[in-house]
Amino acid sequence: MDKANVNGTVIAYDDRGEGEVLVLIHGFCGSSAYFERIIPLLPKKYRVITPDLRGHGASDAPLGPYTIEQMADDIAGLLEALGVSKYTLLGHSLGGYVTLSLAQRYASRLNGFGLLHSTGYPDSEEAKEKRLKAVSTIQNEGITTFVEGLVPGLFATENVEKLESEVTRAKEIGYRTPPQGAAGAALAMRERPDRTDVLSASTLPRLLIAGEKDHIIPSDKTFTAKGDNVTEALIQGAGHMSMYEAPEKLAEVITDFLEQVHA
C-alpha cells in the first residue's frame, strides 16, 4: 500500500489502474482490503482508489473521538494530493456516511456517488447507546473480542456457516483495527447528522445498494431518494457484506453504474 500525509495524518491507500477514477470507502472495523474481491471484477478501464479511513487498516489512528467530517476531509485531501480532481465515490456502511459528507461539501469534485449498505439517517437513541457499549467493549475487552461479536452479525444468517472463510477473512481484517481507531470511529458515527436531504437533493447520479437480508441497515433505510438519476439495487441473499456474500453481483451493479456515469 502507498501512504500520504494529509493534514498531519498519514492515510494509507491502494491505487490500481488508469482511467476515470472510482473511490471505494470501507466500513467500520474494515479496511481497503474489504474490496479485494471486487476490484479484479471491475473493468480495467477504471482507476480504483481504496483508502483506509483514519483509525483503520494501515492509516494513522490518533486518539479520538473523530468526526465524519474529519474522515471525509482526509479522503478529499488524499485525492487532492494524488492530483485527482474528479471521481465517483461509493461508501460501505461507515464509508457511506463519509461519502455523504463529501457529497455535501465537495459536490463539485464528484461525477456521482453512492451508498453500499448505508443510509443518510442519523443514529437512533438506541443506536447511540449501542455505540457507547461498543466503545466500552473495545476499551475493556479488546478489539479481538469486539470484532468476534461484530462480524458474524454483518452477514445474512444463513451465510455465516455457508461462507465461513469469508467471515473469517472479515474478522482478520477487523482484528487489525487499532482499538483507539475503532472507538474514535464509533463515536463519529454516533454524532453524525441526518443527511437524507443530501441524498435526495443532489442532481448527481446516485447509486443505492442494499442487501435483501441486511439486519444492520435494511433496504428502506437505504432507498430514501427517488428520481431519474437514482439507481436502486437490492442484492438477493446478501446481508451487510455483499462484497463477500455476492461479489460478482456487486461488481456488476457498480460496473453498470459507472457506465451510466461516464456515458
Side-chain angles (χ1 to χ4, degrees), residues 43-59:
K44 304 300 179 226
K45 62 182 176 180
Y46 296 107
R47 177 182 177 188
V48 184
I49 300 173
T50 48
D52 287 346
L53 291 169
R54 71 164 52 208
H56 292 75
S59 289

Side-chain angles (χ1 to χ4, degrees), residues 43 52 61 111 148 230:
D52 287 346
N111 291 315
E148 285 285 342
V230 178

Side-chain angles (χ1 to χ4, degrees), residues 198-238:
V198 176
L199 199 54
S200 58
S202 176
T203 57
L204 291 166
R206 284 146 289 162
L207 175 61
L208 305 176
I209 302 175
E212 179 199 12
K213 300 185 176 181
D214 190 340
H215 307 301
I216 309 298
I217 299 178
S219 59
D220 65 322
K221 294 288 193 292
T222 300
F223 298 154
T224 60
K226 305 292 179 186
D228 294 339
N229 249 1
V230 178
T231 302
E232 294 182 357
L234 184 67
I235 299 189
Q236 301 296 320

Side-chain angles (χ1 to χ4, degrees), residues 13-137:
Y13 64 96
D14 193 32
D15 186 351
R16 304 188 201 182
E18 294 180 2
E20 297 286 356
V21 177
L22 169 66
V23 182
L24 299 172
I25 308 179
H26 66 81
F28 181 53
C29 287
S31 77
S32 54
Y34 263 14
F35 301 106
E36 62 196 0
R37 301 186 183 195
I38 299 301
I39 295 171
L41 300 174
L42 298 175
K44 304 300 179 226
K45 62 182 176 180
Y46 296 107
R47 177 182 177 188
V48 184
I49 300 173
T50 48
D52 287 346
L53 291 169
R54 71 164 52 208
H56 292 75
S59 289
D60 278 357
L63 289 173
Y66 307 153
T67 66
I68 296 299
E69 292 68 39
Q70 193 177 39
M71 299 171 101
D73 288 341
D74 290 341
I75 304 306
L78 169 66
L79 294 164
E80 202 171 323
L82 294 177
V84 177
S85 57
K86 278 280 194 178
Y87 44 91
T88 300
L89 188 62
L90 300 177
H92 171 243
S93 200
L94 161 61
Y97 311 147
V98 173
T99 293
L100 287 176
S101 178
L102 274 151
Q104 182 177 43
R105 297 179 300 120
Y106 300 96
S108 64
R109 303 184 188 180
L110 301 182
N111 291 315
F113 67 94
L115 303 182
L116 171 56
H117 309 301
S118 193
T119 182
Y121 287 114
D123 268 358
S124 64
E125 290 307 312
E126 180 187 5
K128 286 183 177 182
E129 283 304 307
K130 287 183 179 177
R131 301 292 187 201
L132 296 180
K133 287 179 182 173
V135 171
S136 176
T137 300

